[in-house]
């Protein structure tokens, strides 16, 4: 399945391939403020439709995840990083996907605050 996603104003647009079997809700300082529900996919399954220089980027803590956001509306549609094996991964905020029934996605709670 291919999903379309975007920030609120539409400046940051992307497509992502895969099945949303579950999402993660993290209680760390940034995720709890964003309220994102994250779905992890290999980076290759995410295709950005927006030029990289038009997407904001910030890092914190260990600086392994690039949190991407829209400089206009402030929404965080996804992050980019790597798993423990060093594979490039993307963390998609499924709240930014079109045509998805959020209530049907099982949510795992992750204690990121304790890392
Ligand atoms: Zn925007």
């Amino acid at each position: 399945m291919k999903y379309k996603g975007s920030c609120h104003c539409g400046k940051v647009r992307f497509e992502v391939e895969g099945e949303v079997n579950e999402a993660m809700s993290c209680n760390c300082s940034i995720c709890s403020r964003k309220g994102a529900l994250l779905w992890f996919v290999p980076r290759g399954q995410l295709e950005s439709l927006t030029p990289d220089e038009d997407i904001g980027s910030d890092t914190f803590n260990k600086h392994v995840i690039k949190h991407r956001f829209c400089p206009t509306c402030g929404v965080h549609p996804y992050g980019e990083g790597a798993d423990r094996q060093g594979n490039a991964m993307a963390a998609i905020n499924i709240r930014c996907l079109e045509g998805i029934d959020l209530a049907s996605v099982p949510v795992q709670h992750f204690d990121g605050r304790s890392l």
Side-chain angles (χ1 to χ4, degrees), residues 39-60:
W39 168 47
F40 291 87
V41 296
R43 179 62 184 81
Q45 290 173 221
L46 169 68
E47 184 186 359
S48 173
L49 303 176
T50 300
D52 210 55
E53 61 269 25
D54 288 347
I55 311 175
S57 187
D58 73 285
T59 59
F60 78 113

Side-chain angles (χ1 to χ4, degrees), residues 7-12 70-75:
C7 67
H8 185 248
C9 72
K11 184 173 187 174
V12 176
C70 173
T72 302
C73 70
V75 167

Side-chain angles (χ1 to χ4, degrees), residues 1-62:
M1 167 107 197
K2 185 172 266 191
Y3 291 95
K4 288 183 189 308
S6 69
C7 67
H8 185 248
C9 72
K11 184 173 187 174
V12 176
R13 295 189 308 114
F14 60 97
E15 291 183 340
V16 57
E17 183 80 48
E19 301 302 324
V20 183
N21 297 322
E22 64 173 31
M24 191 188 81
S25 173
C26 173
N27 65 2
C28 83
S29 59
I30 188 165
C31 293
S32 62
R33 283 169 173 76
K34 287 193 291 198
L37 286 175
L38 298 176
W39 168 47
F40 291 87
V41 296
R43 179 62 184 81
Q45 290 173 221
L46 169 68
E47 184 186 359
S48 173
L49 303 176
T50 300
D52 210 55
E53 61 269 25
D54 288 347
I55 311 175
S57 187
D58 73 285
T59 59
F60 78 113
N61 197 11
K62 293 172 188 146

